[in-house]
Each structure stands twice: as structure tokens, then as C-alpha cells.
Amino acid sequence: MSHTLPTHGLPSRPAFPPLLPSCVLLLVSGTLALRPLAVTWDTNPNYSFGLLVPFVALFLLYERRASRPLPEPGAPGARLKPLLCLCFLWGLIFIGFRLAVETDPGWRPGLWGLVSLYISALLVWLWLYGGRPWLRHFLFPICFLFFCIPWPFQIEWPLVRGLMQFNTWLVAGSMQLLGISAESAGNIIRLPNCTLFVEEACSGILSLQASLMLGSLLGEIYRLKPKRRLALVGASMAFALLGNYGRTLFLSLLAYVKGEQALAHWHDTAGFSILAFTAISAWLSSLLLREKANRNAMPARPDREQYSPSAGSRTALRLALGIFAATTLAETGTQAWFGWQESRRAEYPAWAIQFPETAREIALSETTRQMLLCDFHKTAQWQDARERNWTAFWFRYKPKASNKVALGTHTPESCLPLAGMKKEDEYPAFTAKVNGFEFNVQPAKFSTRGVTAYVFWVAYSLGGTPVPDVINDAKQTFSSKIRSHLEDIRNGYRGIGAETLEIAISGPETYEAARTAYLAALNSMVAADTGTDSPPPGGAKP
């Protein structure tokens, strides 16, 4: 956008576009504000589409630019002193959230706080530059950025668990109608020839979230009226759930006919088919709604010569400078503080696990390993001389920001119920001293189909935040969570390395007998790390 200014006796020439400096500053600030979300986009398959959201928002802004209204006459300006106070207060809050998110990139209230602060700053900038007409006109593209934030756990986790179990029950029931013996338990489908696990990525939550974004996007592109936009979003989500049911049913039938090994070839293809089915169905629905709707006429773009800097353009530029300064200071200060603290911290010794020679490996699919975010793993099942059945999972996490997310969500309490196991009792944690190592052991009692299993879980820190504190974060209140973040910020804790060991024993009649057997086995399996661990082998399950 440009304007011309008259000169005394000289030909007029285009002035410097008043929007350009502000847009560049706000774009760089947005890159810094959204940077902490990259951990979620990279490690959580359910939000892998989040990287595309900022680019889609930019596209929508560009599309709306063609029909933007003239800046409101006498658009609000602001005095320099109040504006500096506003930027200072906004910057302090932003820096606080940025530091807290660095200690735990999976803390979703913090991520919502960061993005909400940035979006609110953009809306204030729009109001300063163009007044209410610009604020209304560009509101949707700016708020579209909310789609890149992970949903709160209080909403997402019950929904994921419910979708997995409902999908499992529905597919098992459908196969029974086809005359195939199938049984559902949690997220497990038991067939005559194999057992299938419906993983979190197969629950339908990814396609559901993507369909929500896609429906909103198509409604904006075709400028549907609000009620028709809601109808399009609802239809898109219904198509996603229907497609996910069809995918799970297809893979289950394939496993029944050709065996579990056939899933490796078709698993990803079936997943992409859901996205294609949902996208095409949503697009056709948008065309149908567009034809039946009275199209919203796009306001004609005013002539280029009518544009001139609004009364608030200078103030808006000052605000953009303040936002840029605050986000830059927050990012550089965060990296400098945590980097300095990490350079002073000692690491703890690592250990390795050696299962009995009679143990057999439990294969983990590529999808499962991606969800666990582990760097190395060992799994085993075996039966001892007393006919007690053992199941063990050992994971090692190299120091990285995503570890706190994995250690806070992949615990026996959250994972075993998905396998159809019910928690019956919880016992006091205790410290086990094993071959020079001290382990904080968290025991519990689970049951499934009349079988009782005593589960012992160890989380061992290789440096940084003590892992038991990470695990207990999920049980903390909001105020205690804030205190925990402040303590982590003071100590510069982030990117911890850790090892976890989960052992389930079925057969002992009492907890005391199970604990005695566990401690004896632990002493024979744990030893100092010799550096011989190798990356985990591959595997595949739906």
C-alpha cells in the first residue's frame, strides 16, 4: 500500500508504504512467539499439522487484503507514555510465560498464554491502525492461529480415550455382525488369530482436529454465512470420524484374513486415505453450501490513491516496535539463562538393563515409538521357575525438550487403562538401592479379565529435574504448578535425560510377595551402562 504526498513544484512520488515496517516487525515477533510450539508439532503426531497453520493464516490475511476497508477516519491514536507502559506490562507477562514454557514445552496453559498474548497484540495493532473496520475485517485470519495450539489435556485426553474405546467397540461389533469372532477391551481388539492395538494416533483425534481446521478454512475461503460455516465444520468432523471407523475396520479385516504382518504395508496408506476422504468430502460440502447460500458480496477495494496513513499509523508502528523488542528480549534472555545454568550442572550416571535369557521381545510399532519419544528401548516377557509371568519395558531418553512431555503422559496410570487394565490399588512409593543406584519405585495394582498384576515403575533422572517431580506434575493444582515452574526457572531445568523401567508381575498372591520378587529380579537385571545400547528395532501394529 502506498500514498503520494504533494511537493512544492516537484512531481509527486510514492511514499514509503506505512504498513511495511510494522508488518515485518510483527512477522518476526510471531516467529519468536510461536517457536515453543515446534516441540509439540514435531513430537505429537496429533498436532503435526500445526506447522501449516501460521502459513494458512498469512494466506487468509493476504486474501482479505484485497477487500480491506479504508482506515477509519480519526482511527485511535495513543500517547507515547501510556503505550510504553502497555508494552512494558505486556512484555513482562510474555517473558514470564516464555520462561515457564521453556521448562516444560508440554505445559498447554503456557502455550495458550503465549499465543493469546501475541494474538491480542495483533488485534490492538489493527485497532490502532485502521480502527474498528480493520479489526472486524481481519479478525478471523488472526484468530485462525489458535488452531496451531494443542488442546488442553482436560479436553483432549478424555476425548482421545473415549474415541479409542468407542472405535474399538464399534469395529469389534461390526466384525461380529460379519460372523467374525471379535472382542474389544479398552483399545484392544482380540481376533481369533491375533490381537490388535488401536493406538492414540488411530483414535481419530488427528483427523477430527484437522477436519475442524479444514471446515473453518473452507468456510472462510467461500465466505459462507456463520450458520453455514458451523454446518460445514460439523459435516467435516463427521466425515473424519466416519473415515477413521472405516480405516480401523479395514485394517482389522485385513489382519483377520491375511495376518497381522499384512498391516505394515497398509497402515500408513489407510491413514492417508482418511485425510483424502475427509478433505474431498468437506470441499464438496462447501461447494454445496456455497451454491445454496446467498454469497456474501466482497466489498470493492478502494482506489489505491484513497489510501493514506491513518491517524494511528505512527502509534501502531511504535506498538509493533515494542512487541518486537519484548519477544526478542524474551527469547534471547531465555536461551542465555538456561544455557548458563546447564553449563554448571553435573550429569548422573546411566544404567542398563539385562533381561533373563528366557525372555522374548515385545515388538513396538514405529507409531508407538514416535508417541513414546524414546531414543532407546528394551521390552520383554518371560515366566520364572515359580510360574510367575513378567512383562517389562525399559526406555532411555536423551536430554531434549520433549522429554518432560513424554514422562508426564506415558505413565502406567495413563497407558495401562488403554490396554483394558483397571487400577485397583496404589501403594506407597519406596527407594530401592540396586548395585550403586537409587531408584524411586512407584507401585500399583492393576487387574484385567480376572488376572491381577502388580506394576512397579521407576523413573530415573540423568540430570536436571528429578523425574518423580515431573510425574507428579500431572497431579498438581494450578497454583502448585506455577510454583513448580518458578522453581524450575530459578534452577534452569529443561531438556532432562531420563531412564524408565516398568515391570508388571502376575502370579504373587500379595503385594509383599510381589515386591520381594521384584527387588530380587531388579538386583540381577540392573548394571552400570557400558555404552553398548543400540537403537531399537522396528515393528508394526495398527
Side-chain angles (χ1 to χ4, degrees), residues 217-484:
L217 174 61
L218 291 172
E220 168 66 11
I221 290 176
Y222 291 118
R223 298 300 176 96
L224 301 180
K225 292 182 178 179
K227 290 184 179 180
R228 295 186 178 274
R229 293 194 186 202
L230 290 176
L232 178 58
V233 169
S236 301
M237 296 173 70
F239 289 135
L241 294 176
L242 178 62
N244 191 67
Y245 159 73
R247 173 206 187 194
T248 308
L249 179 60
F250 166 74
L251 292 174
S252 300
L253 290 172
L254 184 67
Y256 174 73
V257 175
K258 295 188 175 182
E260 189 177 354
Q261 65 278 2
L263 298 179
H265 178 69
W266 287 97
H267 184 273
D268 292 341
T269 302
F272 290 131
S273 68
I274 295 181
L275 298 179
F277 169 77
T278 303
I280 294 173
S281 300
W283 175 63
L284 292 176
S285 299
S286 67
L287 293 181
L288 181 62
L289 290 170
R290 186 189 183 202
E291 290 175 0
K292 290 186 176 182
N294 294 323
R295 298 186 183 183
N296 298 332
M298 296 283 290
R301 177 179 175 178
D303 293 336
R304 187 183 183 93
E305 286 75 13
Q306 295 184 35
Y307 282 102
S308 61
S310 66
S313 60
R314 190 178 297 275
T315 305
L317 178 58
R318 291 170 176 169
L319 177 63
L321 282 169
I323 296 170
F324 172 77
T327 53
T328 303
L329 178 62
E331 187 63 30
T332 56
T334 296
Q335 300 306 322
W337 172 255
F338 283 91
W340 177 67
Q341 289 282 17
E342 288 172 346
S343 66
R344 305 165 56 236
R345 187 174 300 120
E347 294 186 353
Y348 303 147
W351 49 275
I353 194 80
Q354 184 62 47
F355 296 125
E357 295 181 358
T358 57
R360 62 180 181 85
E361 181 185 357
I362 304 173
L364 298 181
S365 70
E366 180 65 26
T367 303
T368 300
R369 291 203 303 274
Q370 290 177 355
M371 291 168 54
L372 291 170
L373 305 176
C374 63
D375 297 290
F376 305 104
H377 80 263
K378 289 183 179 179
T379 62
Q381 282 184 332
W382 70 93
Q383 188 177 73
D384 62 18
R386 297 187 180 182
E387 296 186 348
R388 295 174 299 200
N389 297 311
W390 299 69
T391 303
F393 298 89
W394 171 83
F395 301 107
R396 174 176 291 172
Y397 301 84
K398 294 180 179 179
K400 54 183 181 294
S402 61
N403 287 352
K404 210 165 186 179
V405 179
L407 295 171
T409 55
H410 298 297
T411 66
E413 288 186 352
S414 60
C415 295
L416 292 183
L418 299 179
M421 302 185 71
K422 181 181 178 181
K423 186 176 181 180
E424 300 288 351
D425 203 353
E426 183 175 344
Y427 306 101
F430 62 90
T431 300
K433 297 183 178 180
V434 182
N435 300 329
F437 297 94
E438 287 192 5
F439 296 143
N440 182 284
V441 185
Q442 302 183 31
K445 178 182 178 181
F446 288 82
S447 65
T448 178
R449 306 177 70 185
V451 178
T452 298
Y454 294 95
V455 179
F456 299 86
W457 196 61
V458 167
Y460 176 86
S461 175
L462 297 175
T465 310
V467 175
D469 292 348
V470 177
I471 304 309
N472 292 327
D473 278 352
K475 304 176 183 179
Q476 289 180 343
T477 62
F478 185 78
S479 59
S480 60
K481 184 76 172 179
I482 295 297
R483 289 194 297 270
S484 174

Side-chain angles (χ1 to χ4, degrees), residues 189-203:
I189 301 176
R190 293 188 176 93
L191 300 176
N193 59 331
C194 63
T195 299
L196 305 178
F197 296 86
V198 179
E199 297 166 338
E200 180 179 343
C202 304
S203 66

